[in-house]
Amino acid sequence: MSPFRPATRSLPQLLRTHSRAHSSVSASEVSHFNALASSWWDPHGPSRLLHLMNPLRHDFISHCNFTCPSSSSTQTKNLRYLDVGCGGGIFAESAARLHNVKEVLGIDPSPGVLEVARSHARRDPSLWGTGGEEEGKLRYENCSIEQLEGYEGGEGFDVLALWEVVEHVDYPAPFLEECIRHVKPGGWLVLSTIARTWASWAVTKVMAEDVLRVVPRGTHEWWKYLNEEELRGWFGKREGWGVPVVKGCVYVPGFGWKWVGGGEKLGNYFFGVRREVS
């Protein structure tokens, strides 16, 4: 196949399901991100765009809360966050430092990356605790969402975050099914990802990876990208979920990430949906 002609996948393929016995984890994805582990916290390294995007993640959660002021989950302290695919902990650490957050659990299937996250968190006793990980606000587990144990049937999480994760999953529908089980009533599932458009292929694959090299080559597979209307349709078929909140964004060299109206139709975007209180 020509490198200048991306592969495509249909909506039925995007929504294809498989048994819960199968993991959403791809061995090639784990290998790719383990190779980047040592440079994860270098703000000028391969993860630079993630560092620059982190403030937008918090802005988006605040925006979601603002759109639904009646949410009981957003008006309380002692919030619990689950960061799925947390990587080296850029968001997890920043979330754990929020005054209204009680607990942050970061999970990731990449052992090398997670060891970097733990090592970095140990530098801050307010996060890790003087007695170790179990006593702090921030904890990490080396597992996939399917392997997460001890949280089923509990109170769930106020915020479940999927930052730059779903575009690395072969079958996002069963992966999302696993995730939504861990969101408490009144809580939010928030994610950021990339639309599957010709514009996103040109920007994220050709320019970002091949020409400018601001993203390590092989980080993305265009056929795994998800369009906003596909996510909206998927959640629309499930009872107990509200109207999605969507915001597009674009990376401007020299200026960082900026919100762009309608950007979700072109490339990068944020998507949030609240679990309704019965």
Side-chain angles (χ1 to χ4, degrees):
M1 181 181 68
S2 168
F4 297 102
R5 185 175 182 180
T8 61
R9 62 175 177 173
S10 64
L11 184 57
Q13 184 178 1
L14 291 172
L15 300 181
R16 178 177 169 185
T17 60
H18 59 67
S19 168
R20 282 190 60 198
H22 293 80
S23 172
S24 58
V25 177
S26 164
S28 62
E29 295 282 1
V30 170
S31 176
H32 175 81
F33 287 106
N34 270 334
L36 301 175
S38 62
S39 61
W40 204 277
W41 279 95
D42 180 359
H44 303 292
S47 299
R48 178 172 179 265
L49 295 188
L50 299 182
H51 285 270
L52 294 174
M53 181 178 276
N54 202 48
L56 269 70
R57 297 166 173 173
H58 292 287
D59 287 348
F60 183 70
I61 293 173
S62 296
H63 175 70
C64 288
N65 292 339
F66 180 78
T67 64
C68 190
S70 62
S71 171
S72 60
S73 176
T74 63
Q75 296 180 1
T76 61
K77 296 182 179 180
N78 299 321
L79 300 179
R80 302 174 69 240
Y81 280 47
L82 174 59
D83 188 7
V84 180
C86 63
I90 296 171
F91 173 75
E93 277 201 19
S94 61
R97 291 189 174 93
L98 298 176
H99 67 88
N100 63 338
V101 171
K102 176 183 179 181
E103 173 192 4
V104 176
L105 173 62
I107 66 172
D108 200 285
S110 306
V113 173
L114 211 60
E115 182 52 40
V116 167
R118 287 193 171 106
S119 177
H120 195 272
R122 290 190 188 103
R123 304 178 185 181
D124 188 345
S126 68
L127 299 180
W128 208 246
T130 56
E133 184 175 5
E134 294 302 322
E135 294 186 9
K137 292 177 64 177
L138 175 61
R139 295 189 301 107
Y140 291 112
E141 290 191 23
N142 181 205
C143 67
S144 66
I145 189 65
E146 296 90 350
Q147 297 167 328
L148 183 62
E149 297 180 351
Y151 294 91
E152 293 186 359
E155 62 182 25
F157 291 87
D158 299 283
V159 175
L160 186 148
L162 300 168
W163 306 128
E164 292 77 56
V165 170
V166 294
E167 68 268 26
H168 299 287
V169 176
D170 289 339
Y171 300 109
F175 170 72
L176 289 172
E177 290 281 10
E178 291 289 334
C179 290
I180 62 177
R181 296 187 303 109
H182 295 284
V183 181
K184 68 184 294 186
W188 287 85
L189 182 146
V190 292
L191 64 85
S192 56
T193 190
I194 311 172
R196 196 175 63 261
T197 65
W198 284 100
S200 70
W201 172 74
V203 171
T204 65
K205 292 298 296 178
V206 178
M207 291 301 297
E209 293 190 17
D210 297 333
V211 178
L212 299 178
R213 304 289 178 89
V214 294
V215 175
R217 181 174 289 180
T219 296
H220 297 111
E221 293 184 72
W222 184 86
W223 67 273
K224 291 184 178 180
Y225 293 179
L226 280 171
N227 294 329
E228 173 266 338
E229 58 268 22
E230 292 167 342
L231 284 171
R232 187 183 295 271
W234 190 86
F235 276 98
K237 295 177 180 178
R238 276 143 188 84
E239 294 184 3
W241 292 89
V243 178
V245 178
V246 182
K247 293 188 72 174
C249 61
V250 64
Y251 174 71
V252 182
F255 296 92
W257 290 96
K258 302 295 180 183
W259 295 118
V260 175
E264 66 273 11
K265 303 297 183 182
L266 298 174
N268 292 82
Y269 66 95
F270 284 70
F271 182 99
V273 60
R274 176 176 173 265
R275 187 165 202 162
E276 296 176 344
V277 178
S278 57

